Amino acid sequence: MPGVQRLTVSQEEADLRLDRWFRRRIPGLGHGRLEKLLRKGEIRLDGARAKASDRVSAGQVVRIPPLPDADLDAKAPSRPKAAAPTPAEAAELETRILHMDEAVIAFNKPPGLPVQGGSGHQRHLDGMLDALRFGARERPRLTHRLDKDTSGVMLLARSRAAAAALTRAFRARETRKIYWAALSGAPKPRRGVVRLALVKAPGHGPGGAGEKMQCVPAEAASRVEGAKGAVTEYVVLEALGDRASWAALRPITGRTHQLRAHMAAIGCPIVGDGKYAASDPVDVARSPYLGGEISKKLHLHSRRLVVPHPNGDTMLSVEAPLPPHMERSWRALGWAEGAAAAPEDPFNP
């Protein structure tokens, strides 16, 4: 068991999350053990306490306490190699580009495509990014994530510097994200704010598969280990009485499954969300006069993203059209005309 180590962050590692830095340097150290060492203050960044989500900078020094040899010698678990996109897939990816300049690619992610590997996913966006290089020296970099079944705007950075600038903007909440969702039911009041902390609850499948987030009252969050504050603004744009509604959602924080968990918590789960709905959230799809035209896929779409451009002198605003299954639902529910005339920012029209 070696003594205390002090490792310096390299230029290549700059702007990595601290937990990902550890995954590279000490892959045998499990995430739970890492979190415990961070909470106890045994791991320090430039002498200060740190969190797993902190970003490291070149030249910073990470203090690591004595660790068992098993942690130091273990190799990172191997992951299946991502499948390269076929020529047809590469061509389809190009059709999904919403905006491209020297620093940024704005991409319209389709539902069903994971952003990164894991849980047996060999085909994911991160593994296809070479198809969006367009002669650039560096492959595009992911700067944020969407759930596998959520569609819409994603930003890819075309250089390390652009990635660092976009990451800072997301971390500092300088971005404005607006999602569209079809809800089972209609929230009351029609405009409001959900303030419920979120904490991970283990899943029931092998290796914790099926993990989901549980809502915790904000006033009780400090007493629940791992709970993190989460805030979502919503506004109902159109509704079918109390049976279904089209809502714009604005996440003020960016927690895992935040929008899905918050909408379910107020009794209006997102249509097609089998994970968070207490009961089948597509009852509206069985309404006789709709003829079963409502898809059972998740109806959550990253509609608009506004972010400071990495060049520092403009704001980049990008909008993504609805995916086919949501477009069909909007027509069936009579919302298509309203969607065409909807304000860019319903929270600040």
Side-chain angles (χ1 to χ4, degrees):
M1 180 183 293
V4 171
Q5 298 183 77
R6 289 177 174 82
L7 303 182
T8 302
V9 177
S10 70
Q11 185 66 47
E12 185 185 55
E13 296 167 330
D15 211 48
L16 284 174
R17 281 172 52 116
L18 184 58
D19 53 359
R20 291 173 184 163
W21 183 89
F22 268 94
R23 206 174 301 156
R24 287 188 177 193
R25 290 290 193 106
I26 309 179
L29 183 63
H31 186 76
R33 172 81 170 133
L34 172 63
E35 289 279 9
K36 184 175 181 180
L37 292 172
L38 287 166
R39 284 196 302 271
K40 293 170 66 177
E42 294 189 51
I43 291 175
R44 297 201 168 233
L45 189 59
D46 277 351
R49 285 178 172 266
K51 298 182 295 185
S53 59
D54 287 346
R55 301 278 172 172
V56 299
S57 301
Q60 284 188 306
V61 175
V62 183
R63 179 200 183 276
I64 303 170
L67 296 172
D69 290 341
D71 286 347
L72 297 173
D73 296 338
K75 295 182 179 179
S78 59
R79 290 187 177 184
K81 187 176 180 181
T86 65
E89 286 173 331
E92 203 270 337
L93 287 177
E94 290 189 29
T95 68
R96 292 188 162 275
I97 293 174
L98 303 167
H99 168 89
M100 183 168 68
D101 58 38
E102 72 286 349
V104 178
I105 295 174
F107 179 79
N108 185 11
K109 190 187 89 66
L113 176 66
V115 172
Q116 291 179 302
S119 303
H121 298 307
Q122 288 185 267
R123 194 163 296 281
H124 49 81
L125 179 59
D126 192 33
M128 300 180 176
L129 292 181
D130 279 319
L132 299 177
R133 188 188 289 259
F134 299 111
R137 195 169 49 134
E138 303 178 57
R139 77 196 297 265
R141 301 166 188 264
L142 299 170
T143 59
H144 61 119
R145 296 185 60 174
L146 292 177
D147 291 346
K148 172 188 170 185
D149 294 317
T150 302
S151 58
V153 183
M154 283 200 66
L155 294 187
L156 309 174
R158 303 191 72 192
S159 69
R160 181 178 289 276
L166 290 171
T167 298
R168 283 194 299 270
F170 280 105
R171 190 164 64 243
R173 299 181 188 171
E174 295 172 344
T175 62
R176 194 167 182 87
K177 295 179 278 188
I178 296 173
Y179 290 73
W180 281 5
L183 306 180
S184 182
K188 294 179 180 177
R190 295 301 173 94
R191 177 186 291 263
V193 182
V194 182
R195 292 184 174 88
L196 290 170
L198 295 169
V199 63
K200 285 184 181 178
H204 302 292
E211 182 180 82
K212 60 190 291 188
M213 307 303 289
Q214 286 185 340
C215 289
V216 177
E219 61 273 14
S222 62
R223 301 191 297 273
V224 178
E225 184 176 359
K228 297 180 179 179
V231 181
T232 300
E233 293 182 346
Y234 71 85
V235 58
V236 174
L237 300 177
E238 292 196 27
L240 292 176
D242 293 330
R243 297 190 306 122
S245 58
W246 158 30
L249 311 176
R250 181 177 175 232
I252 306 303
T253 52
R255 310 302 183 200
T256 300
H257 295 180
Q258 175 177 319
L259 302 180
R260 298 165 63 183
H262 274 181
M263 291 303 100
I266 64 172
C268 297
I270 296 172
V271 171
D273 192 352
K275 181 182 285 285
Y276 286 95
S279 57
D280 184 357
V282 292
D283 287 342
V284 66
R286 290 194 291 271
S287 179
Y289 78 89
L290 291 178
E293 295 180 55
I294 309 303
S295 169
K296 292 190 177 183
K297 291 181 180 179
L298 184 69
H299 284 57
L300 179 61
H301 178 68
S302 175
R303 174 65 171 180
R304 177 171 292 276
L305 182 57
V306 182
V307 62
H309 194 282
N311 65 19
D313 59 10
T314 59
M315 294 294 289
L316 176 64
S317 179
V318 186
E319 181 177 287
L322 288 171
H325 77 281
M326 289 182 67
E327 188 177 10
R328 287 193 298 272
S329 295
W330 258 238
R331 287 199 301 268
L333 296 167
W335 300 336
E337 186 175 339
E344 291 183 355
D345 186 350
F347 298 96
N348 190 23

